[in-house]
Amino acid sequence: MQIADRLNVVAESITLAVTAQANALKKQGIDVVSFGAGEPDFDTPEPIKDAAIAALKAGKTKYEPTAGTPEARTAIADKLRRYNHLDYSPEEVIISVGGKHSLYVAMMATLNPGDEVIIPAPYWVSYPEMVKLAGGTPVFLRGEPARDFKLTPQQLAAAITPRTRMFIMNSPSNPGGHTYHRQELHELSHVLERHPQIIVCSDEIYERLVFNGQKSCSWAALNWDFWKSRTITCNCLSKTYAMTGWRIGYTAGPRELIAAMNKLQSQMTSNITSFCMPAIVNALSDPANEAAVEKMRLAFEERGEHMWRRLNAIDGVRCVRPTGAFYCFVDIKGLLNRPLGLSAAVCRDAVEFARRLLSDAHVAVVPGNDFGFDDHVRLSFATGMDQINRGLDRIQEFVTGGAGR
Ligand code: PMP
Ligand code: GLU
């Protein structure tokens, strides 16, 4: 069958592919330690589940408004006001099928062919592909590990052209694990304020997963009067509430953006699963969930510190200390072109390294190539401490010439 040309420029998601590979090996009975998936290993808090079950039992099984029920949109607007200091009305919110869908619909609604989109690297694998699908051109700006992968205002200023239409900000970041300080965001925003044609797409899905006393900051809150009309605020319930499988994302932005997204979504997916709407209300407004969110955050903080320390103790490995999300993005330059594992074969880049680590040591990591760094690999610490220790023992052994398992 003929496949559309538009897919020729798009890659499959490597994060999902590695997770699927690890799961397939586990199914064959192989004891794989997976640092692949970027998804909490915790279960969704009970009150949220109960809200969905009650809605299902009460017959909430029919079509709802495309953008979401008024109750769910109101709960989101309330949360954005309370937690993010953003003054959106419920009509300025649209609910989509996960954060990924929110971002995709937002880009489809705003980008025209030829529009340049500045993407700080390392970046989440899906941004460039979404931009291309929407007809835009990704422009990558490399953040250096020595600066915790953060961009400087000078770098940003130098990348702007008359075609620049969008800047993507993701803080806390996947895969970098870095979190911008408010002042650092201010400095970047001052650069962009001189170019009113540029809008900002702020992916804030890891906002609650911050460590070592760091705080996240919503882009539009930097200067609400200026940025309200130029910011797309994207978020989801996936990471904060351990709800990756539920597929609930949301976008807040100016009315014309939400109307455009609504038009597209009305021809694409319609509303998200109807009985999930009351679960959104519960997740964002029942104080009982706060304790669960904090418990998960603390666990991630402890695991992140531990993984970071252990990684840096391995000869040839360097890792920036994570301050948010749940990833260690690891520099493996020192391991390339040197004998590894029992076979003592060498790896030339991160793809080969990840392949060997999985086949020889049975540890799944995501090669950094599709995050923009071919000499890095990403390890997710959204897994238990025992798994983290077992996986790191294997990596340690693999890089020092052992079997690794
Ligand atoms: N943005 C980033 C930075 C992510 O890591 C992810 C990963 N899932 C998403 C968006 C999409 O989230 P969701 O699972 O809700 O689609
Ligand atoms: N965001 C997660 C990750 O980066 C989930 C997989 C995906 O959607 O890319 O691993």
Side-chain angles (χ1 to χ4, degrees):
M1 183 181 289
Q2 174 186 299
I3 302 300
D5 292 345
R6 73 174 70 86
L7 286 179
N8 292 340
V9 295
V10 177
E12 194 186 333
S13 167
I14 183 76
T15 46
L16 295 182
V18 167
T19 309
Q21 253 176 339
N23 287 341
L25 289 175
K26 281 185 197 169
K27 269 219 168 106
Q28 290 169 29
I30 297 174
D31 170 28
V32 174
V33 175
S34 182
F35 296 135
E39 73 175 339
D41 53 325
F42 298 102
D43 199 1
T44 306
E46 287 304 313
I48 304 177
K49 289 200 227 170
D50 290 343
I53 293 166
L56 186 54
K57 292 224 155 134
K60 287 259 170 229
T61 55
K62 301 287 193 284
Y63 291 131
E64 294 283 9
T66 297
T69 59
E71 295 78 12
R73 293 168 85 190
T74 300
I76 291 168
D78 288 348
K79 177 266 174 190
L80 289 170
R81 193 166 307 112
R82 200 174 59 238
Y83 187 82
N84 305 83
H85 313 292
L86 302 173
D87 198 16
Y88 292 110
S89 70
E91 294 71 37
E92 292 168 321
V93 170
I94 178 167
I95 302 168
S96 307
V97 190
K100 195 178 268 182
H101 188 225
S102 296
L103 288 158
Y104 180 69
V105 176
M107 289 191 201
M108 290 295 283
T110 48
L111 295 177
N112 278 320
D115 284 345
E116 291 177 3
V117 177
I118 297 180
I119 305 178
Y123 45 79
W124 179 47
V125 293
S126 295
Y127 297 144
E129 310 310 290
M130 290 177 180
V131 168
K132 287 187 275 179
L133 280 167
T137 307
V139 174
F140 302 115
L141 265 191
R142 189 182 157 96
E144 293 305 328
R147 294 197 74 256
D148 290 355
F149 303 114
K150 292 175 185 174
L151 294 189
T152 64
Q154 294 76 11
Q155 258 184 304
L156 181 57
I160 293 170
T161 75
R163 307 213 67 145
T164 308
R165 169 85 179 118
M166 180 186 279
F167 173 62
I168 298 182
M169 173 47 67
N170 173 221
S171 171
S173 157
N174 174 11
H178 55 286
T179 308
Y180 281 81
H181 292 286
R182 177 180 292 270
Q183 184 54 30
E184 293 165 334
L185 289 179
H186 261 301
E187 286 167 14
L188 296 179
S189 75
H190 292 325
V191 172
L192 297 178
E193 282 169 15
R194 295 199 289 271
H195 302 273
Q197 87 278 11
I198 303 178
I199 57 176
V200 171
C201 178
S202 183
D203 178 352
E204 303 182 358
I205 78 164
Y206 294 102
E207 64 177 358
R208 301 296 297 269
L209 301 175
V210 277
F211 317 131
N212 313 322
Q214 266 230 238
K215 296 245 179 322
S216 59
C217 172
S218 284
W219 183 276
L222 292 171
N223 178 353
W224 177 248
D225 289 338
F226 183 88
W227 281 111
K228 180 188 176 184
S229 61
R230 294 155 215 245
T231 305
I232 304 171
T233 302
C234 280
N235 212 321
C236 65
L237 270 54
S238 304
K239 315 287 171 165
T240 302
Y241 300 97
M243 293 174 69
T244 47
W246 291 63
R247 313 307 303 136
I248 300 171
Y250 58 88
T251 308
R255 258 164 224 266
E256 61 275 21
L257 168 76
I258 302 306
M261 289 178 67
N262 189 81
K263 179 158 73 166
L264 178 56
Q265 202 167 293
S266 75
Q267 298 290 11
M268 199 182 194
T269 53
S270 310
N271 58 277
I272 67 158
T273 305
S274 52
F275 49 85
C276 289
M277 306 277 188
I280 297 175
V281 178
N282 180 277
L284 299 180
S285 39
D286 184 343
N289 299 318
E290 284 301 301
V293 169
E294 178 58 8
K295 202 168 146 208
M296 292 190 272
R297 190 198 68 77
L298 275 171
F300 292 132
E301 176 166 304
E302 192 191 344
R303 296 164 178 186
E305 279 289 297
H306 182 71
M307 183 181 261
W308 168 70
R309 277 183 206 289
R310 282 207 58 181
L311 281 166
N312 276 327
I314 299 175
D315 179 38
V317 166
R318 278 148 65 129
C319 176
V320 170
R321 186 181 186 185
T323 54
F326 32 58
Y327 307 102
C328 281
F329 198 49
V330 188
D331 181 346
I332 55 154
K333 255 194 297 305
L335 301 179
L336 301 179
N337 301 310
R338 95 175 202 201
L340 295 173
L342 268 188
S343 68
V346 301
C347 299
R348 280 160 306 180
D349 70 358
V351 171
E352 270 189 62
F353 178 83
R355 197 182 306 127
R356 284 273 315 282
L357 194 63
L358 184 58
S359 63
D360 295 14
H362 297 166
V363 178
V365 301
V366 187
N369 304 54
D370 289 1
F371 299 106
F373 279 57
D374 62 7
D375 51 13
H376 278 59
V377 292
R378 191 193 77 176
L379 276 68
S380 158
F381 50 82
T383 188
M385 208 55 123
D386 53 331
Q387 286 292 96
I388 290 175
N389 280 323
R390 259 157 36 85
L392 289 171
D393 288 347
R394 291 182 187 187
I395 294 175
Q396 169 88 57
E397 207 189 314
F398 177 72
V399 305
T400 48
R405 60 183 157 95

